[in-house]
Amino acid sequence: MLRNGCRPKTAFTRAKEPWPSTCERCGADIDPTYDSIASKARRFGDAPRGCRGCADRALAEKFRLDEAELAKTIALADIKPLEPYTNNSTRLESVCLNETCPREGRPIKVLIKAVRRGAMACKYCARRAIDPVEAVTIMREKGRVEPGTAYVRVDAPWPGTCLRCQRTVQPRLHDVMRGQGACLHCAPNTPLTKQQAWERAVAYRFRPSDPEAFKNTNASWAGTCLNCDGPVNPCLGNLYRGQGACNSRTCKVTGFKDSEPGLVYLLQRTSHPSMAKVGICEASVRNTRLQVHARNGWQVVYTRSFRVGLHARLVEGAVKRLWFDERGWKNGAARGEQRSDGYTETVLLDDAERGGPWALVTTLALWTDVLAEAERLGFDLDEQRLKTTAD
């Protein structure tokens, strides 16, 4: 005991019984068993290791990185430390420098020894964890639920209020992210009585003309928009899935409009197989299309804005005809992929079936096609004229 940094305060009794002692390194009162101290000594040799806390600190100090090695590891991890480095086993408060990090500059805890083993420093970028702010956004946008409590974890029931029917629900974020509905009360396949259908219709801001005309949630139901008093003919099932009851200019706050500014973008996904995707969205601060794509693993490579959304739509259509009709490339639908992420707009970057010179393409080459189509359609001159007129 003395050779291993523990000074007994009482007489020895049994090997597996706690033995009150004093740590000779820090002076703390401890009660190790003789068996545990002897086992350590037989395995690693006698050493003044003292209590467990002192032994752990000594071991951490032994594997502490020097300044050069620490700087190399931090550069590899792509982080900015916010506090002094202690040792490999102590999490280091830092900021992730990845531009697409969900934390957006908020601090994270990084375990240096995990980084040295090859793990990604930021668990949010590695998708091993979800940022609470991002979790709330996903629940609101995909689940149409306003959370009532703080986010705990992805597989825990999360109490909140359904934004469609205003009832209390407890969906799991994991289920919502997989596409499951968050509310059992207003699911599109839930059988409804005529009274329930009426209440749901009013909650979706439209008044049916004939309450008795309701058939099912997938059948159109004529009525009047409660916001603009215009005629509408929606399906309750489509309203549940996020479509608006009224498409008039007055009521439709978001969405792509040919007369409003638009954006053409090119995305890249590096996971196997690597692919790119062309698409359009509205060019406004309220647009969340690119954020949704980023959460699904896409990286924004190039964007170009148009003062007229029609120009963006026509450029996208021309590029799709060039890729999939004229060159005969296969899109996600032809490859048999699931219907997600706009699969009719995706193209593999490496596809031997295309043959030369298109067997291997880069995002720069694909974006060159987009710019060439915009110039061929004459939109470059139109955009310059519109800019001059606006100025």
Side-chain angles (χ1 to χ4, degrees):
M1 294 288 281
L2 292 174
R3 289 198 303 268
N4 286 273
C6 301
R7 180 173 294 278
K9 295 193 291 186
T10 62
F12 174 74
T13 54
R14 288 192 296 269
K16 294 185 179 295
E17 184 174 309
W19 194 356
S21 307
T22 300
C23 175
E24 293 194 325
R25 299 189 68 176
C26 65
D29 292 331
I30 56 177
D31 55 353
T33 63
Y34 172 80
D35 185 67
S36 65
I37 298 298
S39 296
K40 286 284 187 181
R42 286 194 299 269
R43 186 174 180 182
F44 302 107
D46 289 330
R49 52 179 58 89
C51 65
R52 177 168 295 181
C54 291
D56 290 344
R57 285 189 291 271
L59 186 63
E61 189 63 28
K62 177 181 178 182
F63 291 102
R64 178 183 170 85
L65 300 178
D66 57 32
E67 294 298 327
E69 193 66 23
L70 176 62
K72 180 180 177 181
T73 302
I74 289 176
L76 179 65
D78 199 21
I79 59 173
K80 177 184 177 181
L82 299 179
E83 61 183 5
Y85 167 71
T86 304
N87 53 58
N88 275 356
S89 300
T90 302
R91 295 187 181 274
L92 182 66
E93 187 174 30
S94 312
V95 171
C96 178
L97 299 180
N98 183 4
E99 293 182 356
T100 61
C101 178
R103 294 289 291 176
E104 299 180 346
R106 294 187 296 276
I108 59 174
K109 291 289 187 177
V110 179
L111 193 60
I112 296 297
K113 68 178 181 181
V115 174
R116 292 177 61 80
R117 291 172 183 165
M120 185 177 288
C122 179
K123 62 182 180 181
Y124 301 100
C125 292
R127 311 306 295 177
R128 299 193 308 270
I130 297 179
D131 180 67
V133 176
E134 183 184 12
V136 171
T137 302
I138 294 174
M139 187 59 77
R140 287 172 178 166
E141 294 180 355
K142 297 191 68 174
R144 300 291 294 161
V145 170
E146 180 64 34
T149 61
Y151 171 70
V152 180
R153 64 178 188 271
V154 71
D155 59 346
W158 196 358
T161 302
C162 177
L163 296 176
R164 302 181 180 93
C165 66
Q166 304 302 314
R167 299 188 185 185
T168 301
V169 292
Q170 296 190 60
R172 291 177 172 84
L173 182 62
H174 180 264
D175 296 335
V176 172
M177 294 176 66
R178 294 178 62 186
Q180 295 186 24
C183 179
L184 294 175
H185 305 292
C186 55
N189 57 348
T190 300
L192 301 175
T193 65
K194 288 182 170 56
Q195 180 61 32
Q196 290 173 329
W198 172 271
E199 294 174 355
R200 184 174 299 184
V202 173
Y204 289 138
R205 303 300 298 159
F206 91 93
R207 182 187 297 107
S209 301
D210 182 6
E212 299 299 322
F214 172 74
K215 297 179 181 178
N216 55 63
T217 56
N218 294 320
S220 299
W221 198 5
T224 303
C225 175
L226 292 177
N227 294 327
C228 67
D229 293 329
V232 292
N233 193 34
C235 301
L236 290 184
N238 290 339
L239 299 183
Y240 169 81
R241 298 181 183 97
Q243 297 183 17
C246 182
N247 288 326
S248 70
R249 187 178 183 86
T250 303
C251 299
K252 193 170 184 179
V253 178
T254 61
F256 190 91
K257 302 181 181 67
D258 288 346
S259 59
E260 299 293 331
L263 190 75
V264 178
Y265 57 77
L266 186 74
L267 310 180
Q268 180 181 7
R269 179 180 282 170
T270 56
S271 59
H272 184 75
S274 59
M275 63 179 66
K277 164 183 163 57
V278 67
I280 59 175
C281 62
E282 60 175 332
S284 69
V285 294
R286 62 174 176 262
N287 176 54
T288 60
R289 176 69 64 85
L290 295 181
Q291 298 175 14
V292 173
H293 284 313
R295 287 198 295 269
N296 291 333
W298 291 97
Q299 177 184 359
V300 180
V301 185
Y302 299 105
T303 61
R304 174 170 177 182
S305 59
F306 292 85
R307 290 177 176 267
V308 179
L310 178 61
H311 291 176
R313 185 189 297 279
L314 294 177
V315 168
E316 180 198 34
V319 170
K320 291 170 65 176
R321 286 192 297 274
L322 173 66
W323 290 353
F324 307 125
D325 294 339
E326 297 179 20
R327 295 178 183 171
W329 296 356
K330 289 184 178 181
N331 59 20
R335 292 192 299 270
E337 298 174 1
Q338 296 183 356
R339 186 184 179 89
S340 61
D341 295 330
Y343 71 154
T344 60
E345 305 162 351
T346 59
V347 58
L348 294 179
L349 296 180
D350 187 1
D351 186 1
E353 293 184 3
R354 290 196 296 256
W358 306 116
L360 180 64
V361 295
T362 64
T363 53
L364 178 59
L366 298 179
W367 187 245
T368 301
D369 289 338
V370 175
L371 299 181
E373 290 301 313
E375 183 178 2
R376 184 182 66 82
L377 293 171
F379 294 154
D380 286 345
L381 295 176
D382 289 345
E383 290 292 318
Q384 293 177 9
R385 184 174 65 255
L386 289 170
K387 182 179 180 181
T388 301
T389 303
D391 295 341

